[in-house]
Amino acid sequence: MKSDVYFTDTREHHHYNIYDKVKKLLKSIDLKNIIKKNDIVAVKIHFGEYGNTSYIKPPIVRIVIDEIKALGGKPFLTDGSTLYKGSRSDAVNHLQTAILNGFDYSVVNAPLVIADGIKGNSCVKVKIDCKHTEYAEIGSEPYYADALVVLTHFKLHELTGIGGSLKNIAMGLAAKSGKLIMHSSISPSI
């Protein structure tokens, strides 16, 4: 299936900064045909681990949130819990980390909802009938949203080489049980 991918670099000029670039990208996307008045819109983002700086900065996310609200949507930011023990392994610590990294309501203009609940076990089994699994186990909160907007930063990954939008959705919206299934048959080797 062919998809359009929109990209902008983060280099800035005094007359054309990152905020201008994001607004231009939003004009390229036909959000008004995706988001209807009163739609609850899950905005998938990676909040980052505490102290980590490789995530989309909250003021940039605010531009997207404001556009969704201008269309009559009701956005919330979401990300799934991690399998590993860290600052995002349960909803309480995950939300605290997100706020410490700048994703406070006063900055982003939207509530934060952890995709797979308090302990990572709030999920919906979605039938997919693939070679290695019949079901994807994804966080229930974005599953029940009316629309999904995905904001992804580019990163390198030790298994796939590049982590991007597909990983952000597949791994990032999976409940812990779904993440475990995805990781159960692979391991890096040298």
Side-chain angles (χ1 to χ4, degrees):
M1 179 168 93
K2 184 179 174 185
S3 297
D4 293 326
V5 176
Y6 299 90
F7 170 84
T8 190
D9 65 50
T10 56
R11 288 177 283 201
E12 298 181 3
H13 308 284
H14 66 282
H15 62 281
Y16 190 56
N17 63 37
I18 189 65
Y19 304 118
D20 297 324
K21 291 177 178 186
V22 171
K23 289 174 186 174
K24 183 179 177 184
L25 282 174
L26 284 172
K27 287 179 184 176
S28 301
I29 303 167
D30 196 11
L31 281 179
K32 66 182 173 295
N33 285 325
I34 298 168
I35 299 167
K36 306 295 181 230
K37 186 173 174 59
N38 293 318
D39 275 357
I40 295 176
V41 182
V43 179
K44 173 58 178 85
I45 188 78
H46 179 346
F47 294 126
E49 290 289 344
Y50 177 67
N52 168 307
T53 59
S54 60
Y55 51 84
I56 299 172
K57 302 304 177 251
I60 295 169
V61 174
R62 170 75 179 251
I63 295 168
V64 177
I65 294 297
D66 289 346
E67 180 66 21
I68 292 168
K69 285 187 170 188
L71 295 170
K74 300 180 207 174
F76 67 93
L77 296 181
T78 192
D79 193 13
S81 302
T82 60
L83 272 179
Y84 58 85
K85 293 293 179 198
S87 67
R88 297 181 304 125
S89 62
D90 64 69
V92 173
N93 287 314
H94 200 157
L95 290 169
Q96 289 172 342
T97 297
I99 291 166
L100 287 170
N101 284 348
F103 293 94
D104 188 74
Y105 192 101
S106 64
V107 177
V108 295
N109 198 23
L112 313 179
V113 178
I114 300 306
D116 53 352
I118 297 294
K119 294 187 177 182
N121 57 4
S122 179
C123 71
V124 175
K125 282 181 140 182
V126 178
K127 191 164 182 63
I128 58 172
D129 283 328
C130 287
K131 180 179 178 181
H132 298 288
T133 186
E134 269 186 75
Y135 294 93
E137 297 185 23
I138 64 169
S140 58
E141 304 315 316
Y143 177 84
Y144 289 111
D146 299 308
L148 175 66
V149 172
V150 181
L151 304 178
T152 303
H153 67 281
F154 177 85
K155 68 177 267 182
L156 299 178
H157 190 273
E158 62 270 5
L159 289 175
T160 60
I162 297 173
S165 292
L166 293 177
K167 182 183 179 293
N168 188 21
I169 297 167
M171 192 63 69
L173 290 180
K176 284 188 178 191
S177 56
K179 287 177 173 72
L180 193 57
I181 291 167
M182 285 186 262
H183 282 98
S184 65
S185 63
I186 57 169
S187 61
S189 62
I190 297 174

